[in-house]
Amino acid sequence: MTDTPNPFEAMLAQAQEMAKAMNPALESFSPKGFEALWPTLPKDIMEMMFGNALNKEGLDAKTRLLLTLAGLTMQGAQADSAVRQTVRHAVEAGAKKQEIVETIGLMAAFAGIPAMTRALEIAQEVMDNTEENET
């Protein structure tokens, strides 16, 4: 065997060292901090922008957000921030916990169990935080 590092691993290690040298805080960066900068839109504004206010026969904001959540789950729930924000907005738009869980659960047939599980973990985290803030 050789001690020569995998070129990809070497590149990642070099990038991490550069990030530490430029800004030590980047070592523990989390996108959750950015999420706090964008508060959840009130239901009335979401309904106006994303709901059926302009398209009277169209989908309401809650349904659109549940469809968005289904799409994000179909992508493998890779975009944690997008899933978290969509769940937060869906709750604000009136979606019940059961509706969110069912939306994600239905995607297991198409996206697979790992994608569904990951999306459920993220959604549960958001809904737990939402319940804590309401009490």
Side-chain angles (χ1 to χ4, degrees):
M1 291 271 174
T2 178
D3 289 335
T4 306
N6 174 316
F8 183 71
E9 289 174 358
M11 182 181 74
L12 284 177
Q14 183 181 17
Q16 289 171 337
E17 290 302 316
M18 287 173 53
K20 283 186 218 175
M22 291 180 187
N23 185 351
L26 289 176
E27 187 175 5
S28 61
F29 171 78
S30 169
K32 288 184 180 181
F34 281 120
E35 291 173 23
L37 296 175
W38 289 291
T40 304
L41 293 172
K43 182 179 179 181
D44 295 339
I45 293 176
M46 282 192 286
E47 200 61 56
M48 183 183 72
M49 294 171 60
F50 308 116
N52 58 10
L54 298 176
N55 182 8
K56 300 289 184 203
E57 302 300 318
L59 300 172
D60 63 347
K62 178 180 88 170
T63 303
R64 288 175 191 251
L65 288 161
L66 291 173
L67 288 169
T68 301
L69 183 57
L72 289 167
T73 303
M74 285 294 297
Q75 293 176 338
Q78 299 294 316
D80 292 14
S81 293
V83 173
R84 272 193 289 275
Q85 287 181 320
T86 302
V87 170
R88 280 180 31 215
H89 281 92
V91 168
E92 180 65 25
K96 305 286 185 252
K97 182 177 183 177
Q98 180 62 33
E99 293 172 316
I100 292 168
V101 169
E102 188 174 341
T103 297
I104 294 170
L106 286 170
M107 295 304 102
F110 306 104
I113 301 294
M116 178 202 70
T117 302
R118 180 69 187 130
L120 283 173
E121 289 171 352
I122 297 167
Q124 187 63 53
E125 175 187 317
V126 172
M127 291 185 287
D128 287 348
N129 289 338
T130 303
E131 289 171 3
E132 287 175 13
N133 291 337
E134 289 175 355
T135 57

